[in-house]
């Protein structure tokens, strides 16, 4: 690391640096060193690191399971073995300075309400703090986060806006998508103009904030469910919806049992000449997410024998998947086509038109 400010050295030594023998808080490698230290401690205590999610640690014994998931130095533990949980707490207290906050109520800005049948996640306080910070607690309310059919673009004669403020607001709004899936599309639209925002883009961000003021308590509900083996994926695409470059926007969301667990809305990397081509890419993304979820459930002890149910609303894309012969219209999505076809033949996935 560079010499500390005020360090008195001769001219010959001014080019020297300090050798860092121990990672310090705030240095570039500190987070990596901390996670390596924590991982080593968990492995010593017979916990296994999940291959599906490296922040997840598991221990199975006597038919029971204890799981720990960590974000930097904040941890959540859940189990059906109270004795193992106490042993883990005692071990971590000896290894690190640790504070036990009892039952989970507030975690990384997310509020957790729970009963014996349900868990509800929301970010009410985060929303209200954001609105108060930018002076919009008394703003006019709207019922939708974005206007239907709105097409944004960048034109030379448009009025520019404060880039720093725009990026800060969009960044803070993106964190809200963890408990508000319906914001994903609106946020994917405004985040495309971070490099050169204009006044009309800022107006869309302000509309999202006005919508949040209308419903600060909304969130996502998880209900108690015994069918952890049933995975469903719904995919859709906005074909050539972007005015600037005519790229399509892929989207998917997945259910485990009756609970919505993951979702995404993202612009595709290339321009799709056919709607079926765009749908194919979206289906592949959704299927990859479902396969990852299946592996994660397997780590937790739920080995699913049921095929993943994949839903698509494009008839041409469904017909192409079931057609064993490749033709001129499918040569641009050859890899995606063979990927889905292989999973269908192995009975890993079922494709349905919806």
């Amino acid at each position: 690391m560079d010499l500390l400010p005020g360090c008195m050295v001769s001219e010959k030594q001014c080019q020297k640096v300090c050798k860092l023998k121990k990672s310090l808080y705030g240095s570039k490698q500190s987070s990596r060193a901390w996670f390596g230290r924590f991982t080593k401690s968990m492995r010593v205590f017979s916990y296994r690191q999940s291959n599906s999610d490296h922040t997840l640690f598991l221990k199975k014994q006597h038919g029971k399971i204890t799981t720990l998931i960590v974000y930097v130095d904040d941890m959540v533990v859940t189990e059906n073995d109270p004795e193992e949980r106490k042993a883990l707490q005692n071990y971590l207290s000896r290894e690190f300075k640790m504070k036990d906050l009892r039952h989970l109520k507030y975690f990384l800005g997310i509020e957790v309400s729970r009963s014996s049948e349900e868990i509800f996640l929301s970010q009410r306080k985060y929303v209200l703090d954001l609105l108060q910070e930018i002076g919009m607690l008394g703003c006019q309310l709207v019922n939708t986060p974005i206007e239907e059919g709105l097409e944004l673009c960048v034109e030379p004669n448009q009025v520019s806006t404060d880039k720093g403020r725009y990026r800060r607001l969009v960044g803070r709004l993106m964190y809200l998508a963890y408990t508000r899936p319906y914001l994903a599309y609106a946020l994917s639209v405004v985040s495309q103009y971070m490099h050169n925002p204009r006044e009309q883009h800022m107006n869309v961000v302000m509309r999202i904030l006005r919508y949040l003021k209308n419903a600060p308590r909304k969130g996502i509900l998880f209900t108690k469910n015994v069918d952890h083996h049933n995975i469903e994926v719904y995919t859709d695409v906005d074909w050539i919806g972007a005015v600037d470059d005519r790229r399509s926007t892929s989207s998917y969301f997945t259910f485990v049992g009756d609970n919505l667990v993951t979702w995404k809305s993202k612009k595709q990397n290339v321009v799709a000449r056919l709607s079926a081509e765009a749908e194919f890419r979206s289906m592949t993304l959704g299927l990859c997410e479902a396969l990852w979820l299946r592996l994660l459930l397997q780590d937790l002890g739920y080995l699913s024998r049921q095929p993943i149910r994949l839903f698509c609303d494009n008839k041409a894309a469904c017909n192409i998947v079931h057609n064993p012969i490749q033709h001129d219209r499918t040569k641009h999505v050859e890899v995606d086509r063979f990927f889905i076809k292989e999973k269908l033949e192995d009975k890993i996935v079922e494709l349905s038109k919806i």
Side-chain angles (χ1 to χ4, degrees):
M1 56 185 291
D2 294 335
L3 293 178
L4 300 176
C7 184
M8 303 298 292
V9 293
S10 64
E11 292 184 5
K12 293 182 179 179
Q13 295 178 317
C14 65
Q15 299 299 323
K16 292 187 176 182
V17 295
C18 295
K19 182 181 178 183
L20 188 62
K21 293 185 177 180
K22 181 181 178 183
S23 181
L24 299 176
Y25 185 83
S27 60
K28 291 183 178 180
Q29 291 291 326
S30 59
S31 57
R32 181 189 182 96
W34 153 248
F35 188 67
R37 167 80 172 85
F38 182 79
T39 302
K40 184 179 178 181
S41 299
M42 293 300 292
R43 286 175 177 167
V44 168
F45 202 57
S46 303
Y47 273 73
R48 179 178 63 85
Q49 190 175 16
S50 170
N51 290 323
S52 303
D53 187 342
H54 285 188
T55 63
L56 177 65
F57 298 86
L58 310 108
K59 186 175 184 179
K60 299 176 184 177
Q61 60 180 4
H62 312 304
K64 296 183 178 181
I65 184 171
T66 304
T67 65
L68 179 147
I69 194 162
V70 58
Y71 180 84
V72 190
D73 58 351
D74 295 307
M75 293 164 246
V76 176
V77 180
T78 182
E79 40 68 35
N80 55 5
D81 187 355
E83 292 182 2
E84 173 59 29
R85 175 176 55 80
K86 291 178 183 177
L88 175 62
Q89 286 179 323
N90 293 333
Y91 172 72
L92 290 175
S93 297
R94 292 194 302 269
E95 290 288 312
F96 312 102
K97 274 189 174 182
M98 195 186 78
K99 186 185 292 184
D100 180 11
L101 299 177
R102 311 292 297 170
H103 293 296
L104 182 64
K105 293 181 180 178
Y106 194 79
F107 186 73
L108 303 175
I110 299 173
E111 300 170 49
V112 183
S113 305
R114 55 189 292 168
S115 68
S116 59
E117 299 293 325
E118 298 173 337
I119 295 177
F120 180 69
L121 305 182
S122 68
Q123 291 171 282
R124 182 190 62 85
K125 185 177 183 301
Y126 184 90
V127 171
L128 295 177
D129 287 347
L130 175 59
L131 292 171
Q132 184 176 12
E133 182 183 321
I134 59 177
M136 290 188 63
L137 277 176
C139 64
Q140 193 174 8
L141 308 182
V142 292
N143 293 322
T144 57
I146 193 169
E147 294 178 33
E148 185 178 357
L150 179 67
E151 294 184 345
L152 293 179
C153 60
V154 176
E155 295 178 2
N157 57 350
Q158 290 176 337
V159 179
S160 60
T161 188
D162 185 351
K163 289 184 181 180
R165 184 167 184 257
Y166 184 87
R167 290 167 182 169
R168 282 194 300 273
L169 287 175
V170 174
R172 297 195 65 177
L173 286 172
M174 287 173 75
Y175 190 62
L176 280 170
Y178 285 114
T179 57
R180 295 169 179 254
Y182 46 84
L183 292 180
Y185 172 71
L187 293 175
S188 75
V189 171
V190 295
S191 64
Q192 293 172 29
Y193 302 96
M194 301 277 255
H195 62 291
N196 191 18
R198 302 292 181 170
E199 189 175 15
Q200 65 163 338
H201 307 138
M202 181 63 86
N203 291 338
V204 179
V205 172
M206 290 297 133
R207 183 186 176 90
I208 296 173
L209 290 165
R210 288 162 57 200
Y211 169 76
L212 292 173
K213 176 62 174 66
N214 192 25
R217 297 176 183 272
K218 284 190 176 182
I220 188 165
L221 181 70
F222 299 96
T223 58
K224 191 173 182 179
N225 195 306
V226 294
D227 190 10
H228 303 299
H229 305 280
N230 183 29
I231 301 175
E232 294 182 347
V233 192
Y234 296 82
T235 66
D236 200 4
V237 69
D238 175 21
W239 183 45
I240 58 173
V243 178
D244 292 324
D245 51 18
R246 283 305 176 190
R247 292 184 182 180
S248 308
T249 300
S250 296
S251 62
Y252 66 77
F253 54 93
T254 61
F255 281 87
V256 175
D258 293 330
N259 293 313
L260 177 66
V261 289
T262 62
W263 51 89
K264 193 168 190 176
S265 176
K266 185 179 181 181
K267 188 192 283 189
Q268 294 182 0
N269 296 326
V270 295
V271 179
R273 295 176 61 238
L274 303 170
S275 61
E277 182 181 332
E279 291 280 358
F280 245 95
R281 293 195 173 95
S282 184
M283 287 164 61
T284 306
L285 281 175
L287 181 54
C288 288
E289 180 76 2
L291 292 171
W292 171 78
L293 272 176
R294 199 179 194 191
L295 290 174
L296 185 62
L297 289 171
Q298 188 173 330
D299 278 344
L300 296 171
Y302 297 101
L303 182 58
S304 178
R305 303 290 183 187
Q306 300 178 18
I308 297 166
R309 301 180 67 193
L310 178 64
F311 295 94
C312 174
D313 68 342
N314 189 282
K315 188 176 181 181
C318 293
N319 291 340
I320 291 169
V321 168
H322 294 293
N323 187 353
I325 301 172
Q326 181 174 327
H327 49 80
D328 188 56
R329 294 182 65 189
T330 61
K331 64 184 181 183
H332 304 293
V333 286
E334 181 186 12
V335 176
D336 293 334
R337 176 177 166 272
F338 276 105
F339 175 74
I340 298 174
K341 182 173 176 288
E342 181 185 77
K343 303 305 177 187
L344 281 170
E345 291 175 349
D346 293 341
K347 307 296 184 184
I348 294 175
V349 63
E350 289 180 353
L351 178 64
S352 302
K353 169 77 169 59
I354 188 170

